[in-house]
């Protein structure tokens, strides 16, 4: 499991890019988590250890839940790609120099 201490040492751009993916997962599959993200936004952005310690396992569970419901790859797990068609196009036209991956996802 990801150690919140490691997340606390990431450069801001990387942290925010990863957070964009977390927000996307909440939009896809967990309305309660989305509400929690809104409520805890300040402590998330200041990388509060306890908040990240709760958030990270919840986020991993979303992905695990979707993948386990789609063991035969019938297409449900494609929902995890929400925003990625646009993000990959944006990364490509900017030659992978302007945006970090998570930043491109945030624009989607
Ligand atoms: Zn992604």
């Amino acid at each position: 499991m990801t150690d919140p201490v490691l997340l606390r040492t990431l450069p801001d751009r990387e942290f925010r890019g990863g957070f964009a993916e977390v927000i996307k997962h909440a939009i896809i599959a967990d309305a309660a988590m989305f509400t929690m993200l809104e409520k805890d936004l300040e402590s998330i952005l200041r990388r509060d250890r306890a908040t990240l310690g709760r958030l990270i396992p919840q986020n991993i569970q979303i992905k695990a839940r979707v993948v386990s419901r789609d063991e035969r790859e019938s297409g449900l797990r494609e929902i995890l790609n929400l925003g990625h068609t646009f993000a990959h196009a944006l990364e490509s036209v900017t030659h992978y120099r302007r945006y970090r991956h998570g930043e491109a996802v945030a624009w989607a």
Side-chain angles (χ1 to χ4, degrees):
M1 179 175 299
T2 306
D3 182 349
V5 173
L6 292 177
L7 281 178
R8 293 166 57 127
T9 63
L10 279 176
D12 256 1
R13 283 185 77 182
E14 307 298 342
F15 182 85
R16 288 173 183 261
F19 186 44
E21 297 267 15
V22 171
I23 293 169
K24 187 199 67 180
H25 286 157
I27 291 170
I28 291 167
D30 195 333
M33 183 178 175
F34 189 82
T35 301
M36 185 271 250
L37 294 177
E38 288 183 307
K39 185 176 80 59
D40 293 340
L41 182 61
E42 281 184 33
S43 52
I44 292 166
L45 293 178
R46 87 176 122 80
R47 306 185 195 193
D48 174 73
R49 186 183 182 133
T51 307
L52 294 181
R54 279 194 317 273
L55 179 62
I56 294 164
Q58 273 186 294
N59 184 56
I60 292 169
Q61 281 172 6
I62 289 174
K63 193 164 188 176
R65 228 170 33 230
V66 170
V67 170
S68 72
R69 271 196 247 151
D70 187 23
E71 286 178 352
R72 294 183 185 155
E73 299 196 36
S74 60
L76 177 64
R77 69 175 67 184
E78 288 176 15
I79 197 170
L80 295 169
N81 294 334
L82 175 71
H84 279 69
T85 301
F86 176 87
H88 292 157
L90 182 60
E91 291 175 288
S92 177
V93 299
T94 57
H95 307 286
Y96 299 91
R97 291 192 190 126
R98 184 161 181 185
Y99 300 101
R100 301 281 198 272
H101 174 70
E103 292 172 332
V105 168
W107 278 103

